[in-house]
Amino acid sequence: MTSADAPLVEARGLTRSYGAVRALRGVDLTLAAGEVLLVLGPNGAGKSTLLRSLAGLLRPQAGTVRVAGRELNRDDPDARRAIGLFSHQSLLYDELTLLENLMLAARLYDIADPRRVAEAALEAQGLLDRKESRPRQLSRGMLQRAAIARALLHDPRLLLLDEPFTGLDALAADRLRQLLALHHSPDRAMVLVTHQAGEAWDIATRVGVLVGGRWAYQAERPAELAPFHLRYQELLHA
């Protein structure tokens, strides 16, 4: 396999426990550029643990993760430059304005002209007029958009999203779906964790179901959501 053919994301044997709770039990994952993986599962299935492991924020007790051909290592920040993360935490500092937050992130990624890039990212999210606001002054939808702006600031090849639709009204959710569809391209990949398959069904290329820290299902996204939903309920109650 040439470097051009190599997976964008390759995880092997990911294992992680919290005390007696085994969150991941030898999980494998291969994701090519151009793919969008929708990860479903009940609470406690290991979805967020998987995402944090793929982001390099959580070191698995066993197994490896490679992104864009490099093995993730918390001591090697350059290995995580290909990754953008949207998590339950906004990763924004409350004492800084939105503009200051994004300029700081731009500097951390060694991006030239941090102010210009930060303002462009805010404008893309319709937040340029709130650039002097602090995160605590924003509505839930605005905060989500600011966090997405930060995650996309450095144009990551791998975008990881943990429950990005939580707390959004219908209009904000539609806007987020449009944004993710625009970000989807042949040289990028996404992993999107959610409880509701319908939230991102149209942009997904693959679907995986985690149950008890293991894959109960992994396949190309079926054409129709309704039959899959029945299958999903069977997997949860197997």
Side-chain angles (χ1 to χ4, degrees):
M1 178 180 287
T2 67
S3 59
D5 298 325
L8 182 55
V9 185
E10 189 171 22
R12 290 287 175 263
L14 296 183
T15 301
R16 178 75 191 194
S17 297
Y18 301 99
V21 178
R22 298 186 66 188
L24 296 177
R25 301 169 182 253
V27 170
D28 294 338
L29 172 64
T30 301
L31 196 65
E35 292 191 296
V36 178
L37 175 63
L38 195 63
V39 180
L40 302 159
N43 289 332
K47 303 186 301 298
S48 293
T49 299
L50 173 62
L51 215 63
R52 288 174 60 80
S53 298
L54 295 177
L57 298 179
L58 185 67
R59 183 173 297 174
Q61 291 156 327
T64 59
V65 178
R66 299 183 70 85
V67 176
R70 297 185 64 164
E71 185 168 343
L72 291 189
N73 186 326
R74 294 188 70 176
D75 299 325
D76 180 11
D78 287 341
R80 301 206 300 271
R81 289 184 181 274
I83 302 169
L85 173 66
F86 175 94
S87 70
H88 294 295
Q89 294 80 34
S90 69
L91 304 181
L92 300 170
Y93 295 100
D94 269 338
E95 63 271 23
L96 301 180
T97 66
L98 293 188
L99 181 60
E100 289 168 341
N101 265 289
L102 267 63
M103 287 179 64
L104 173 61
R107 292 187 181 103
L108 291 174
Y109 284 111
D110 294 325
I111 296 174
D113 200 349
R115 186 184 186 92
R116 179 187 62 79
V117 172
E119 288 184 339
L122 290 171
E123 185 172 20
Q125 297 302 316
L127 291 171
L128 189 57
D129 62 339
R130 300 301 301 268
K131 66 181 182 181
E132 300 302 329
S133 298
R134 287 171 170 74
R136 62 177 175 271
Q137 298 172 310
L138 303 179
S139 68
R140 173 68 176 175
M142 287 182 178
L143 187 60
Q144 294 275 68
R145 283 151 54 192
I148 288 288
R150 188 194 186 285
L152 295 177
L153 189 71
H154 59 297
D155 192 24
R157 293 192 65 199
L158 174 63
L159 182 59
L160 306 173
L161 302 114
D162 196 357
E163 300 284 358
F165 296 95
T166 299
L168 297 185
D169 59 28
L171 183 62
D174 282 343
R175 181 183 181 124
L176 177 55
R177 275 187 286 271
Q178 292 169 14
L179 173 67
L180 296 180
L182 287 173
H183 185 72
H184 183 202
S185 72
D187 62 341
R188 302 187 185 115
M190 282 186 261
V191 180
L192 195 156
V193 166
T194 181
H195 280 290
Q196 301 294 330
E199 290 177 331
W201 188 257
D202 290 341
I203 63 174
T205 63
R206 289 172 49 195
V207 180
V209 178
L210 275 176
V211 177
R214 293 190 177 98
W215 291 118
Y217 177 98
Q218 259 207 93
E220 290 187 6
R221 190 208 69 186
E224 300 294 332
L225 175 57
F228 171 78
H229 185 70
L230 294 175
R231 175 63 176 145
Y232 178 55
Q233 294 302 316
E234 292 172 357
L235 291 170
L236 295 188
H237 297 95

